[in-house]
Amino acid sequence: MPQETVGFVNLEWTCKRCGSKNPGTTKICSSCGNVMSETDKFELPAQQELIKDEAVIAKAERGPDMSCKYCGARNAADATNCSQCSADLTQATARQSGEVLGAFSDEKKPDVKCPYCGELNPATALKCSKCAGTLRVATRPVDQAKTAPPAPARANRVPMFIGIGVAIVAVIVCGLLFFRTTDTSAAVRGVQWQRAIEIMEERPAQHATWRDQIPSGATAGACELKVRSTQDQPAPNSEKICGTPYTIDTGTGAGKVVQDCQYQVKDEWCGYGLVEWTVVDSVVAKGADANPDWPVVNLRVDQREGNRQEAYVVLFSSDGKEYQMSVDDASELVKYVVGSRWKLKVNALGGVVAAEAAK
Ligand SMILES: [Zn+2]
Ligand SMILES: [Zn+2]
Ligand SMILES: [Zn+2]
């Protein structure tokens, strides 16, 4: 998904020695003079604000700061000598960058009360404007939600496994009931057959599809714009849809705010009318003998035959119990002479699985 730059924000870092928060652009703790080390991470500030300082933005775009091999101090990507110890920086290693720090929101945060003098300070302030006391120490505010989606609850998987287990047991039980059979001796009581032929007529029908897929000969109806596809590039009739902006560590003290965007391409979804062959009726013939016939169809000139369906059933009785068995073909029916005796395999649900002529 293409990433768009929304802007840049100032980050912060927490001094390991005294716990004070410091602006990302500074390299030395303003409270105790400790130098920010390679392992000190940049963090999102309580109040995020897009910055306009071109110099900070240009530096963020040049690449992550370099950590001096000798003193550990941060130096700009294009610096040649360490600003702390003057050491040559050609062997220096780049700070880690690219980590997603969290969702971007420039929503105004409430003022912060100084814990020392009670003065209200803007959420962006690191030190009290009245007494210079440190306003935010060490612990991170809890409301800075990371953009990473919450890990799926592991507990949800357990009921799913139980569900699958129950389903498997149910299938096995049904299978046992279906496949375990008992032998029963029975006599043919009769046979039944049914044959049907569908009657079709041309009738108007309503459908809907994309404008370019309306079949020829159809009458186009009303259309509406709907999303047809999603793509990375803009197109005519497309709408840009972007996710929540989030901030990436550039390794320079400034965060790059980006958002992932795609284009929803819209197209016309239209109703259309088409005259098509539709089943309007069916004629049925039934019988209780071994000579099935197709029903007589009297078609009007504007009608035609549709599908044909046929069904054949043999009826058995055994010690007062009735059984039914379907057979596929009309030619099968003649084998089941009324009164003839058969050995049936009957499953637990009372269905006849097989029949064999009794000797
Ligand atoms: Zn400090
Ligand atoms: Zn150095
Ligand atoms: Zn104060």
Side-chain angles (χ1 to χ4, degrees), residues 68-73 75 82-87 89:
C68 172
K69 264 178 84 173
Y70 303 96
C71 75
N75 288 275
C82 177
S83 60
Q84 287 297 118
C85 71
S86 304
L89 289 171

Side-chain angles (χ1 to χ4, degrees), residues 2 4 21-22 79 97 103 107 147 155-156 158 169 184 187 189 215 219 230 246 254 262 274 283 299 320 335 339 355:
E4 281 186 7
K21 298 276 185 186
N22 291 281
S97 63
E107 195 185 308
T147 43
N156 283 349
V158 176
V169 169
T184 305
R189 191 167 63 77
T219 326
T230 304
Y246 54 95
Q262 278 192 317
L274 196 64
V283 278
L299 294 175
K335 293 198 245 165

Side-chain angles (χ1 to χ4, degrees), residues 15 18 29 31-32 34:
C15 172
C18 74
C29 175
S31 297
C32 73
N34 187 30

